[in-house]
Amino acid sequence: MTSFVDQNHPDKADRHAERSQDTQRHLDDKASRLMISESGGDDDLPDIIGIVMEMGRTGASSRPQGGDDGSHSPLPSQPDASPLPDHLENLAGRARGYLEAASSANTRRAYSADWKHFSTWCRRQGLGIIPPSPQTVGLYITACASGDSGGKPNSVSTIERRLSALSWNYSQRGLSLDRKDRHIATIMAGIRNTHAVPPRQKEAILLEDLVAMLETLDRGSLRGLRDRAILLIGFAGGLRRSEIVGLDIGRDQTEDGRGWIEIFEEGLLVTLRGKTGWREVEIGRGSTATTCPVTALETWLKFARIAHGPLFRRVTGKGRQVGAERLKDQEVARLVKRTALAAGVRGDLPEREREKKFSGHSLRAGLASSAEVDERYVQKQLGHASAEMTRKYQRRRDRFRVNLTKASGL
C-alpha cells in the first residue's frame, strides 16, 4: 500500500509527510516550552496546571487537522485553548500540593537557585539545557570548581548539591541526567581529589554553655519565654531547627505542620515526620524547674495562650503579642548564635571566628556530646540510621577508649 501511494499519488504522500512533520514539531515545541519554562517561583517546578492541560489536549492535538482539500490547519495555541473542566482543575491543584509536599521548602529553594544558576551559565556559553547533556554538565561543574561560573570557586559539597539539583529538576521535567556518565563522574572524582577538605563542624552547645545562654534571655517577656523553650526542647530532643518550628500543639492541626507534641506527667512525647517516615522522641522532665524543657514549654504555652496550631510563633508588639504565623527555622539558628555570643561561649576565639561556630545544629551536637548514656540511646534520639553518624556529633567522646596499639602488644 505504501509503494502504491508513493508511485501513484506523490502529492498526497508529500502532504501527508509534511503534516506529520509539522504536527511533531508543534508537539515538540510545546513540550520544550513546558520543560524549560522558568516561572520564577520558589520551587521552579513545571506548572502542574499546564501539564494537566497538555495531557487533556494530547488526543485532539496529536491528530492532523485539515480541511476538505487536505490542507493543514495550525493547531490551537495554549492561550486560546479551552480551560480544564472544574473537576480536573481541582485535581491539578491537589497535585500541585502533593508536589510541594514531596520535598521541604528549603530543598526546593536550593534546587531552584541551582537550576537558575545552571541555566544562566548555559545561556552565557551559548549551550542548551534540553535535552540533558553530560558533556555540558561536565563543563559546568568544571566552571563551578574553578570559579569560572561567576563568583568564587564552589566547594565540593556545593557542587555535589548542584548535581543533585540538576538531576532532580530534570526528573521533574520527565528527563534523566546520567550522573554516572564519564563526562560527569570522572570530572567529579578529579574535583574531589583536588579540592576536597575536611568537614567543618559546628561547635557543640554543652550543658554549662546552655545554662549560660538561658541566663541571657528576658524571663519577663513572651519572646524570652519562647526562646527559652526553643533552646531547651531543641537541646533535650536533639532536634533539627526545621523540626522545632514544624511542631503543632496537636495532631492534624495545620497543613504545613511536621509533627506534634503530647505532654505527660513523666515528660514530653514529640512525634516527627522526617524523610524516612515518622519517628517519636521522648523528652523527660529535668532535675530542676529552671532547666526543665517540659516546664519551659508549659510556661510558654500558658502565657502565650496557645491551644491550637503552630507551637512556636512570632512575637510582635515589642514582645507583648503572639502572632498566628509559624516561626521560620532560620530564627532558631539566629537565636543559638545570638545567645551563644552573648553568653561568651568559646570566648577564647576572635569574634569573627565565634560567629561562624554556632548554628541550630549546635543543639543536636550538644546533646550527643553531653548525654552520658549508651550510644544507642543517643542514636535513637537523633534519628540516625547508623552509630557512625551519631559519633560525628559527639565532639568530646573518648576517641582512645579502645587502644589497639596496646591491644596488639606494643
Side-chain angles (χ1 to χ4, degrees), residues 8-70:
N8 296 284
H9 302 280
D11 293 340
K12 185 174 181 180
D14 290 343
R15 287 197 300 270
H16 177 76
E18 289 175 359
R19 286 198 301 269
S20 299
Q21 293 174 359
D22 290 344
T23 300
Q24 186 61 46
R25 280 196 297 269
H26 183 83
L27 292 175
D28 290 343
D29 289 343
K30 290 203 297 182
S32 297
R33 287 196 299 270
L34 277 174
M35 289 189 291
I36 66 176
S37 63
E38 296 180 7
S39 62
D42 288 341
D43 50 7
D44 199 28
L45 280 171
D47 188 2
I48 189 66
I49 307 298
I51 292 176
V52 173
M53 292 180 71
E54 289 298 322
M55 292 168 59
R57 290 195 297 271
T58 298
S61 300
S62 60
R63 291 192 298 270
Q65 301 181 12
D68 294 336
D69 60 353

Short mmCIF file of all heavy atoms in Angstrom, two decimals, residues 8-70:
data_model
loop_
_atom_site.label_atom_id
_atom_site.label_comp_id
_atom_site.label_asym_id
_atom_site.label_seq_id
_atom_site.Cartn_x
_atom_site.Cartn_y
_atom_site.Cartn_z
N ASN A 8 1.75 6.48 -7.25
CA ASN A 8 0.61 7.00 -7.98
C ASN A 8 0.09 8.31 -7.43
O ASN A 8 -0.63 9.02 -8.11
CB ASN A 8 -0.52 5.97 -7.98
CG ASN A 8 -0.11 4.70 -8.72
OD1 ASN A 8 -0.08 4.67 -9.94
ND2 ASN A 8 0.22 3.66 -7.96
N HIS A 9 0.38 8.62 -6.14
CA HIS A 9 -0.11 9.87 -5.54
C HIS A 9 1.02 10.57 -4.80
O HIS A 9 0.99 10.70 -3.59
CB HIS A 9 -1.27 9.58 -4.58
CG HIS A 9 -2.41 8.87 -5.23
ND1 HIS A 9 -3.35 9.50 -6.00
CD2 HIS A 9 -2.72 7.54 -5.23
CE1 HIS A 9 -4.24 8.61 -6.45
NE2 HIS A 9 -3.87 7.41 -6.00
N PRO A 10 2.06 11.02 -5.52
CA PRO A 10 3.19 11.64 -4.83
C PRO A 10 2.80 12.91 -4.08
O PRO A 10 3.30 13.18 -3.01
CB PRO A 10 4.17 11.93 -5.98
CG PRO A 10 3.32 11.98 -7.22
CD PRO A 10 2.21 11.00 -7.00
N ASP A 11 1.87 13.70 -4.64
CA ASP A 11 1.49 14.94 -3.95
C ASP A 11 0.80 14.63 -2.63
O ASP A 11 1.04 15.26 -1.60
CB ASP A 11 0.55 15.77 -4.85
CG ASP A 11 1.28 16.28 -6.08
OD1 ASP A 11 2.52 16.31 -6.04
OD2 ASP A 11 0.59 16.63 -7.06
N LYS A 12 -0.09 13.63 -2.65
CA LYS A 12 -0.80 13.28 -1.43
C LYS A 12 0.15 12.73 -0.38
O LYS A 12 0.04 13.02 0.81
CB LYS A 12 -1.87 12.24 -1.75
CG LYS A 12 -2.76 11.88 -0.57
CD LYS A 12 -3.88 10.96 -0.99
CE LYS A 12 -4.77 10.64 0.20
NZ LYS A 12 -5.88 9.73 -0.19
N ALA A 13 1.12 11.92 -0.81
CA ALA A 13 2.09 11.38 0.13
C ALA A 13 2.94 12.48 0.73
O ALA A 13 3.25 12.48 1.92
CB ALA A 13 2.98 10.35 -0.58
N ASP A 14 3.35 13.45 -0.13
CA ASP A 14 4.17 14.55 0.38
C ASP A 14 3.39 15.38 1.40
O ASP A 14 3.93 15.78 2.43
CB ASP A 14 4.61 15.45 -0.79
CG ASP A 14 5.63 14.75 -1.68
OD1 ASP A 14 6.21 13.74 -1.22
OD2 ASP A 14 5.84 15.20 -2.81
N ARG A 15 2.10 15.63 1.09
CA ARG A 15 1.30 16.42 2.03
C ARG A 15 1.13 15.68 3.35
O ARG A 15 1.16 16.27 4.42
CB ARG A 15 -0.08 16.73 1.42
CG ARG A 15 -0.05 17.78 0.31
CD ARG A 15 -1.45 18.34 0.07
NE ARG A 15 -2.38 17.29 -0.33
CZ ARG A 15 -2.59 16.93 -1.60
NH1 ARG A 15 -1.92 17.53 -2.58
NH2 ARG A 15 -3.47 15.98 -1.87
N HIS A 16 0.95 14.36 3.24
CA HIS A 16 0.81 13.56 4.47
C HIS A 16 2.09 13.62 5.31
O HIS A 16 2.04 13.77 6.54
CB HIS A 16 0.49 12.12 4.10
CG HIS A 16 0.40 11.21 5.29
ND1 HIS A 16 -0.70 11.20 6.12
CD2 HIS A 16 1.28 10.30 5.80
CE1 HIS A 16 -0.52 10.33 7.08
NE2 HIS A 16 0.68 9.76 6.92
N ALA A 17 3.25 13.51 4.67
CA ALA A 17 4.52 13.57 5.40
C ALA A 17 4.74 14.94 6.02
O ALA A 17 5.21 15.07 7.15
CB ALA A 17 5.67 13.22 4.46
N GLU A 18 4.38 16.00 5.26
CA GLU A 18 4.55 17.35 5.78
C GLU A 18 3.67 17.58 7.00
O GLU A 18 4.08 18.20 7.98
CB GLU A 18 4.23 18.37 4.69
CG GLU A 18 5.28 18.41 3.56
CD GLU A 18 4.86 19.35 2.45
OE1 GLU A 18 3.77 19.95 2.56
OE2 GLU A 18 5.62 19.48 1.48
N ARG A 19 2.40 17.10 6.91
CA ARG A 19 1.51 17.27 8.04
C ARG A 19 2.05 16.55 9.28
O ARG A 19 1.99 17.06 10.39
CB ARG A 19 0.10 16.74 7.70
CG ARG A 19 -0.68 17.66 6.77
CD ARG A 19 -2.18 17.33 6.83
NE ARG A 19 -2.44 15.95 6.45
CZ ARG A 19 -2.71 15.55 5.21
NH1 ARG A 19 -2.71 16.44 4.22
NH2 ARG A 19 -2.97 14.27 4.97
N SER A 20 2.59 15.36 9.08
CA SER A 20 3.14 14.61 10.21
C SER A 20 4.32 15.32 10.81
O SER A 20 4.48 15.42 12.04
CB SER A 20 3.55 13.20 9.76
OG SER A 20 2.42 12.50 9.28
N GLN A 21 5.19 15.87 9.95
CA GLN A 21 6.37 16.58 10.47
C GLN A 21 5.97 17.85 11.20
O GLN A 21 6.51 18.17 12.25
CB GLN A 21 7.32 16.89 9.31
CG GLN A 21 7.96 15.65 8.69
CD GLN A 21 8.78 16.00 7.46
OE1 GLN A 21 8.86 17.16 7.06
NE2 GLN A 21 9.38 14.98 6.85
N ASP A 22 5.00 18.59 10.62
CA ASP A 22 4.56 19.83 11.28
C ASP A 22 3.93 19.53 12.63
O ASP A 22 4.14 20.24 13.61
CB ASP A 22 3.54 20.57 10.38
CG ASP A 22 4.20 21.15 9.14
OD1 ASP A 22 5.44 21.25 9.15
OD2 ASP A 22 3.46 21.48 8.18
N THR A 23 3.12 18.48 12.68
CA THR A 23 2.48 18.10 13.93
C THR A 23 3.52 17.73 14.99
O THR A 23 3.43 18.16 16.13
CB THR A 23 1.52 16.92 13.72
OG1 THR A 23 0.53 17.31 12.76
CG2 THR A 23 0.83 16.54 15.04
N GLN A 24 4.52 16.93 14.58
CA GLN A 24 5.54 16.52 15.53
C GLN A 24 6.34 17.71 16.02
O GLN A 24 6.67 17.82 17.20
CB GLN A 24 6.46 15.48 14.90
CG GLN A 24 7.47 14.89 15.88
CD GLN A 24 6.77 14.19 17.02
OE1 GLN A 24 5.84 13.41 16.83
NE2 GLN A 24 7.19 14.48 18.24
N ARG A 25 6.68 18.64 15.10
CA ARG A 25 7.43 19.83 15.51
C ARG A 25 6.63 20.67 16.49
O ARG A 25 7.15 21.20 17.46
CB ARG A 25 7.81 20.66 14.28
CG ARG A 25 9.01 20.14 13.50
CD ARG A 25 9.54 21.21 12.56
NE ARG A 25 8.56 21.57 11.54
CZ ARG A 25 8.46 21.00 10.36
NH1 ARG A 25 9.27 20.01 10.03
NH2 ARG A 25 7.55 21.39 9.47
N HIS A 26 5.32 20.78 16.24
CA HIS A 26 4.47 21.56 17.14
C HIS A 26 4.43 20.93 18.53
O HIS A 26 4.54 21.62 19.54
CB HIS A 26 3.05 21.66 16.56
CG HIS A 26 2.12 22.50 17.39
ND1 HIS A 26 2.08 23.87 17.28
CD2 HIS A 26 1.22 22.15 18.33
CE1 HIS A 26 1.18 24.35 18.12
NE2 HIS A 26 0.64 23.32 18.78
N LEU A 27 4.26 19.60 18.56
CA LEU A 27 4.23 18.93 19.86
C LEU A 27 5.57 19.04 20.56
O LEU A 27 5.63 19.22 21.77
CB LEU A 27 3.85 17.45 19.67
CG LEU A 27 2.41 17.20 19.19
CD1 LEU A 27 2.22 15.71 18.92
CD2 LEU A 27 1.41 17.69 20.20
N ASP A 28 6.67 18.92 19.81
CA ASP A 28 7.99 19.05 20.42
C ASP A 28 8.19 20.44 20.98
O ASP A 28 8.76 20.63 22.06
CB ASP A 28 9.08 18.75 19.39
CG ASP A 28 9.12 17.27 19.02
OD1 ASP A 28 8.54 16.47 19.78
OD2 ASP A 28 9.73 16.94 17.99
N ASP A 29 7.71 21.47 20.23
CA ASP A 29 7.87 22.84 20.71
C ASP A 29 7.08 23.04 22.00
O ASP A 29 7.56 23.67 22.95
CB ASP A 29 7.37 23.84 19.65
CG ASP A 29 8.32 23.91 18.46
OD1 ASP A 29 9.47 23.44 18.62
OD2 ASP A 29 7.90 24.40 17.39
N LYS A 30 5.85 22.50 22.05
CA LYS A 30 5.06 22.65 23.27
C LYS A 30 5.70 21.93 24.45
O LYS A 30 5.73 22.45 25.55
CB LYS A 30 3.64 22.11 23.05
CG LYS A 30 2.81 22.95 22.10
CD LYS A 30 1.33 22.74 22.31
CE LYS A 30 0.93 21.33 22.03
NZ LYS A 30 -0.52 21.12 22.19
N ALA A 31 6.21 20.75 24.17
CA ALA A 31 6.88 20.01 25.25
C ALA A 31 8.10 20.76 25.73
O ALA A 31 8.38 20.83 26.93
CB ALA A 31 7.27 18.61 24.77
N SER A 32 8.86 21.35 24.79
CA SER A 32 10.07 22.09 25.19
C SER A 32 9.70 23.30 26.02
O SER A 32 10.36 23.62 27.00
CB SER A 32 10.85 22.52 23.94
OG SER A 32 11.29 21.39 23.23
N ARG A 33 8.61 23.99 25.62
CA ARG A 33 8.20 25.17 26.39
C ARG A 33 7.81 24.78 27.80
O ARG A 33 8.07 25.50 28.75
CB ARG A 33 7.03 25.87 25.69
CG ARG A 33 7.42 26.63 24.43
CD ARG A 33 6.32 27.59 24.03
NE ARG A 33 5.07 26.91 23.74
CZ ARG A 33 4.75 26.46 22.53
NH1 ARG A 33 5.58 26.60 21.52
NH2 ARG A 33 3.57 25.87 22.33
N LEU A 34 7.16 23.63 27.93
CA LEU A 34 6.79 23.18 29.27
C LEU A 34 8.00 22.85 30.10
O LEU A 34 8.07 23.15 31.28
CB LEU A 34 5.89 21.94 29.17
CG LEU A 34 4.40 22.19 28.92
CD1 LEU A 34 3.69 20.86 28.71
CD2 LEU A 34 3.78 22.96 30.06
N MET A 35 9.00 22.20 29.46
CA MET A 35 10.14 21.71 30.22
C MET A 35 11.10 22.82 30.62
O MET A 35 11.69 22.80 31.67
CB MET A 35 10.89 20.64 29.42
CG MET A 35 10.11 19.34 29.31
SD MET A 35 11.09 18.03 28.59
CE MET A 35 11.24 18.59 26.90
N ILE A 36 11.28 23.82 29.75
CA ILE A 36 12.31 24.80 30.05
C ILE A 36 11.73 26.11 30.58
O ILE A 36 12.46 27.06 30.82
CB ILE A 36 13.16 25.10 28.80
CG1 ILE A 36 12.31 25.79 27.71
CG2 ILE A 36 13.78 23.84 28.26
CD1 ILE A 36 13.11 26.20 26.49
N SER A 37 10.40 26.18 30.73
CA SER A 37 9.82 27.40 31.27
C SER A 37 10.28 27.61 32.69
O SER A 37 10.33 26.68 33.48
CB SER A 37 8.28 27.32 31.22
OG SER A 37 7.85 26.27 32.04
N GLU A 38 10.60 28.84 33.01
CA GLU A 38 11.04 29.18 34.36
C GLU A 38 10.05 30.20 34.91
O GLU A 38 10.06 31.37 34.55
CB GLU A 38 12.45 29.76 34.33
CG GLU A 38 13.46 28.76 33.87
CD GLU A 38 14.86 29.35 33.85
OE1 GLU A 38 15.01 30.48 34.33
OE2 GLU A 38 15.76 28.69 33.36
N SER A 39 9.18 29.72 35.78
CA SER A 39 8.11 30.56 36.28
C SER A 39 8.58 31.58 37.29
O SER A 39 7.90 32.53 37.58
CB SER A 39 7.03 29.66 36.92
OG SER A 39 7.58 28.95 38.01
N GLY A 40 9.77 31.39 37.87
CA GLY A 40 10.26 32.32 38.87
C GLY A 40 9.75 32.04 40.25
O GLY A 40 9.99 32.81 41.17
N GLY A 41 9.01 30.93 40.43
CA GLY A 41 8.53 30.58 41.75
C GLY A 41 9.62 30.05 42.64
O GLY A 41 10.76 29.85 42.20
N ASP A 42 9.26 29.78 43.89
CA ASP A 42 10.25 29.30 44.85
C ASP A 42 10.80 27.94 44.48
O ASP A 42 11.96 27.64 44.72
CB ASP A 42 9.62 29.25 46.25
CG ASP A 42 9.42 30.63 46.82
OD1 ASP A 42 10.07 31.58 46.33
OD2 ASP A 42 8.61 30.75 47.75
N ASP A 43 9.94 27.07 43.86
CA ASP A 43 10.39 25.71 43.61
C ASP A 43 10.82 25.50 42.17
O ASP A 43 11.46 24.51 41.85
CB ASP A 43 9.30 24.71 43.97
CG ASP A 43 7.95 25.07 43.35
OD1 ASP A 43 7.90 26.00 42.54
OD2 ASP A 43 6.97 24.40 43.69
N ASP A 44 10.42 26.41 41.24
CA ASP A 44 10.83 26.33 39.85
C ASP A 44 10.42 25.01 39.22
O ASP A 44 11.12 24.47 38.39
CB ASP A 44 12.34 26.53 39.71
CG ASP A 44 12.72 26.92 38.29
OD1 ASP A 44 11.90 27.53 37.59
OD2 ASP A 44 13.83 26.61 37.88
N LEU A 45 9.29 24.46 39.62
CA LEU A 45 8.78 23.23 39.04
C LEU A 45 8.00 23.54 37.77
O LEU A 45 7.44 24.63 37.62
CB LEU A 45 7.83 22.53 40.02
CG LEU A 45 8.45 21.72 41.14
CD1 LEU A 45 7.34 21.32 42.10
CD2 LEU A 45 9.12 20.49 40.59
N PRO A 46 7.93 22.61 36.80
CA PRO A 46 6.99 22.78 35.70
C PRO A 46 5.58 22.93 36.27
O PRO A 46 5.21 22.23 37.20
CB PRO A 46 7.15 21.48 34.90
CG PRO A 46 8.47 20.93 35.30
CD PRO A 46 8.68 21.36 36.71
N ASP A 47 4.82 23.83 35.72
CA ASP A 47 3.50 24.11 36.26
C ASP A 47 2.59 22.91 36.08
O ASP A 47 2.32 22.47 34.96
CB ASP A 47 2.90 25.33 35.55
CG ASP A 47 1.61 25.79 36.20
OD1 ASP A 47 1.22 25.18 37.21
OD2 ASP A 47 1.01 26.75 35.68
N ILE A 48 2.09 22.35 37.17
CA ILE A 48 1.25 21.15 37.10
C ILE A 48 -0.03 21.44 36.35
O ILE A 48 -0.60 20.58 35.68
CB ILE A 48 0.97 20.62 38.52
CG1 ILE A 48 0.28 19.24 38.44
CG2 ILE A 48 0.09 21.58 39.31
CD1 ILE A 48 1.14 18.18 37.87
N ILE A 49 -0.53 22.69 36.44
CA ILE A 49 -1.75 23.04 35.71
C ILE A 49 -1.52 22.92 34.21
O ILE A 49 -2.31 22.33 33.48
CB ILE A 49 -2.21 24.47 36.06
CG1 ILE A 49 -2.33 24.65 37.58
CG2 ILE A 49 -3.53 24.79 35.37
CD1 ILE A 49 -3.35 23.75 38.22
N GLY A 50 -0.39 23.46 33.74
CA GLY A 50 -0.08 23.37 32.32
C GLY A 50 0.12 21.95 31.86
O GLY A 50 -0.30 21.56 30.77
N ILE A 51 0.76 21.13 32.71
CA ILE A 51 0.98 19.73 32.35
C ILE A 51 -0.34 19.01 32.19
O ILE A 51 -0.56 18.27 31.22
CB ILE A 51 1.86 19.04 33.40
CG1 ILE A 51 3.28 19.62 33.36
CG2 ILE A 51 1.90 17.53 33.17
CD1 ILE A 51 4.19 19.06 34.42
N VAL A 52 -1.26 19.20 33.14
CA VAL A 52 -2.56 18.54 33.06
C VAL A 52 -3.33 19.01 31.84
O VAL A 52 -3.99 18.22 31.15
CB VAL A 52 -3.36 18.77 34.35
CG1 VAL A 52 -4.77 18.22 34.23
CG2 VAL A 52 -2.65 18.11 35.52
N MET A 53 -3.26 20.29 31.53
CA MET A 53 -3.96 20.81 30.35
C MET A 53 -3.40 20.19 29.08
O MET A 53 -4.15 19.84 28.16
CB MET A 53 -3.86 22.33 30.31
CG MET A 53 -4.63 23.04 31.42
SD MET A 53 -4.51 24.83 31.36
CE MET A 53 -5.49 25.16 29.90
N GLU A 54 -2.08 20.05 29.01
CA GLU A 54 -1.48 19.41 27.84
C GLU A 54 -1.92 17.96 27.74
O GLU A 54 -2.21 17.45 26.65
CB GLU A 54 0.05 19.49 27.93
CG GLU A 54 0.61 20.88 27.72
CD GLU A 54 0.29 21.42 26.34
OE1 GLU A 54 0.33 20.63 25.38
OE2 GLU A 54 -0.01 22.62 26.23
N MET A 55 -2.00 17.27 28.87
CA MET A 55 -2.46 15.88 28.87
C MET A 55 -3.89 15.80 28.36
O MET A 55 -4.25 14.89 27.60
CB MET A 55 -2.37 15.30 30.28
CG MET A 55 -0.96 15.11 30.78
SD MET A 55 -0.89 14.73 32.54
CE MET A 55 -1.86 13.24 32.61
N GLY A 56 -4.72 16.76 28.73
CA GLY A 56 -6.10 16.74 28.30
C GLY A 56 -6.27 17.01 26.83
O GLY A 56 -7.28 16.62 26.23
N ARG A 57 -5.29 17.70 26.22
CA ARG A 57 -5.40 18.02 24.80
C ARG A 57 -4.59 17.09 23.92
O ARG A 57 -4.57 17.24 22.71
CB ARG A 57 -4.92 19.45 24.57
CG ARG A 57 -5.86 20.50 25.11
CD ARG A 57 -5.53 21.86 24.53
NE ARG A 57 -4.20 22.29 24.90
CZ ARG A 57 -3.92 22.98 26.00
NH1 ARG A 57 -4.87 23.29 26.84
NH2 ARG A 57 -2.69 23.35 26.27
N THR A 58 -3.87 16.12 24.51
CA THR A 58 -2.97 15.30 23.72
C THR A 58 -3.69 14.57 22.61
O THR A 58 -3.25 14.52 21.46
CB THR A 58 -2.26 14.27 24.63
OG1 THR A 58 -1.49 14.99 25.58
CG2 THR A 58 -1.35 13.38 23.81
N GLY A 59 -4.87 13.98 22.93
CA GLY A 59 -5.57 13.20 21.92
C GLY A 59 -5.98 14.03 20.74
O GLY A 59 -5.80 13.65 19.59
N ALA A 60 -6.54 15.24 21.01
CA ALA A 60 -7.00 16.08 19.92
C ALA A 60 -5.87 16.74 19.19
O ALA A 60 -5.89 16.89 17.97
CB ALA A 60 -7.97 17.13 20.47
N SER A 61 -4.82 17.13 19.92
CA SER A 61 -3.73 17.88 19.31
C SER A 61 -2.84 17.00 18.46
O SER A 61 -2.19 17.49 17.55
CB SER A 61 -2.90 18.57 20.39
OG SER A 61 -3.69 19.44 21.14
N SER A 62 -2.75 15.71 18.78
CA SER A 62 -1.81 14.86 18.07
C SER A 62 -2.34 14.41 16.72
O SER A 62 -1.60 13.89 15.91
CB SER A 62 -1.50 13.62 18.92
OG SER A 62 -2.70 12.89 19.17
N ARG A 63 -3.65 14.66 16.45
CA ARG A 63 -4.21 14.26 15.16
C ARG A 63 -4.11 15.43 14.19
O ARG A 63 -4.48 16.56 14.51
CB ARG A 63 -5.68 13.86 15.32
CG ARG A 63 -5.86 12.58 16.10
CD ARG A 63 -7.29 12.10 15.97
NE ARG A 63 -8.24 13.06 16.53
CZ ARG A 63 -8.63 13.02 17.81
NH1 ARG A 63 -8.15 12.11 18.64
NH2 ARG A 63 -9.50 13.91 18.25
N PRO A 64 -3.61 15.22 12.96
CA PRO A 64 -3.57 16.29 11.97
C PRO A 64 -4.97 16.81 11.70
O PRO A 64 -5.91 16.03 11.56
CB PRO A 64 -2.95 15.63 10.74
CG PRO A 64 -2.26 14.40 11.26
CD PRO A 64 -3.05 13.96 12.44
N GLN A 65 -5.11 18.12 11.66
CA GLN A 65 -6.40 18.73 11.37
C GLN A 65 -6.31 19.44 10.04
O GLN A 65 -5.46 20.31 9.84
CB GLN A 65 -6.80 19.71 12.48
CG GLN A 65 -6.90 19.03 13.86
CD GLN A 65 -7.30 20.00 14.92
OE1 GLN A 65 -7.73 21.11 14.63
NE2 GLN A 65 -7.20 19.58 16.18
N GLY A 66 -7.20 19.10 9.14
CA GLY A 66 -7.16 19.73 7.83
C GLY A 66 -8.54 19.92 7.26
O GLY A 66 -9.53 19.34 7.73
N GLY A 67 -8.63 20.70 6.19
CA GLY A 67 -9.91 20.92 5.53
C GLY A 67 -10.20 19.83 4.51
O GLY A 67 -9.48 18.84 4.39
N ASP A 68 -11.28 20.05 3.78
CA ASP A 68 -11.66 19.07 2.78
C ASP A 68 -10.64 18.95 1.67
O ASP A 68 -10.54 17.92 1.00
CB ASP A 68 -13.03 19.45 2.17
CG ASP A 68 -14.14 19.36 3.20
OD1 ASP A 68 -13.96 18.60 4.18
OD2 ASP A 68 -15.16 20.05 3.04
N ASP A 69 -9.86 20.03 1.47
CA ASP A 69 -8.87 20.00 0.41
C ASP A 69 -7.57 19.36 0.84
O ASP A 69 -6.61 19.31 0.08
CB ASP A 69 -8.60 21.42 -0.11
CG ASP A 69 -8.08 22.32 0.99
OD1 ASP A 69 -8.05 21.88 2.17
OD2 ASP A 69 -7.70 23.48 0.70
N GLY A 70 -7.51 18.86 2.08
CA GLY A 70 -6.30 18.20 2.56
C GLY A 70 -5.27 19.15 3.10
O GLY A 70 -4.20 18.73 3.52
#
